[in-house]
Amino acid sequence: MSLRGVVPPVVTPLLPTGEFDRESFDRNVNRMLDAGVHGLFVMGSSGEVAYSTDRRRDEVTRAAVEVAAGRVPVLVGAIDMQTARVVEQAQRAQDLGADAIVITAPFYGLGGPEQVERHFRVVAEAVDAPLYAYDLPVSVHTKLQPEMLVRLGVDGVLAGVKDSSGDDVSFRRLVLANRDAGSPLSLLTGHEVVVDGAYLSGADGAVPGLGNVDPHGFVRQWEAYRAGDWAAVQAEQDRLSRLMDITSVVKGVSGFGAGVGAFKTALQLLGVFTSNQMPEPVPSLTGANVEAIANVLRAEGLLD
């Protein structure tokens, strides 16, 4: 499966009780599909995979497959500590209708590059769906090397890579190595604020969490890129970069709570989500933080 375009990592809405908010989820997914996104990635970092029980993972996966209804591919994160657990998650996601599976390197028990490569090969042998590598060293403490990724692509183990490493030098090396090998991998950047640079490097698409808030902007940017209109690509990126300030105006909360918390709060202010409830033990944004996010949305014309 050669995936190209904008593939938002879908945020998982929760009710104030902590239960999955299916109505808000459907609104958000349909809004992104109406904007013209090219795929959906559920149960990634923005989708709270690390905070989700097996029941919640299945619930969200099933909902995504149902609401997408074949209109775009649904990629599902099967992210867990070690290979056997990842295989179980991947097989369940495949049984629920996932079009592709996304996995990281193993974590907690770190074993070096040979074990990382073996991990991807074992998971690929256990599932029929295409497999995407998720390069996320900030969370799993292993940086996936371009040479290994391309080798796995050539061998048919991987269909693509979601690069959320923040290492643009490594990504450029990956693009070049992939091209030299005949482009076996679909290469997607996880950036929000320098997507234009990734496209200039040769990325096949983007997986921006901010795409939940402004899917139209990222689709317009992709279409401008495909048309070779680099001035429009940059102008859209400048606007999206200012919009990404919703994650930096938050005070007193950091990391996941500031990033995904800002996305949820923005979606609540836009009337897409019923609540900006976060999973335990992460606090939901309130008071001045909500108003600060609203001010950014107003400044960028998304909120009256």
Side-chain angles (χ1 to χ4, degrees), residues 81-98:
M81 290 185 292
Q82 298 296 150
T83 305
R85 293 178 63 87
V86 172
V87 166
E88 286 188 0
Q89 300 287 358
Q91 289 174 336
R92 257 197 352 267
Q94 179 177 275
D95 290 345
L96 290 169

Side-chain angles (χ1 to χ4, degrees), residues 210-221:
L210 190 64
N212 288 267
V213 179
D214 188 6
H216 291 88
F218 283 101
V219 170
R220 284 194 301 267
Q221 184 187 44

Side-chain angles (χ1 to χ4, degrees), residues 16 24 27 43 67-68 75 84 109 127 142 164 181 184 232-233 241 277 280 295:
S24 292
R27 276 196 299 272
M43 288 289 97
V67 71
L75 288 71
V127 296
T142 297
S164 293
V233 171
S241 297
Q277 179 70 38
E280 292 291 358
N295 287 337

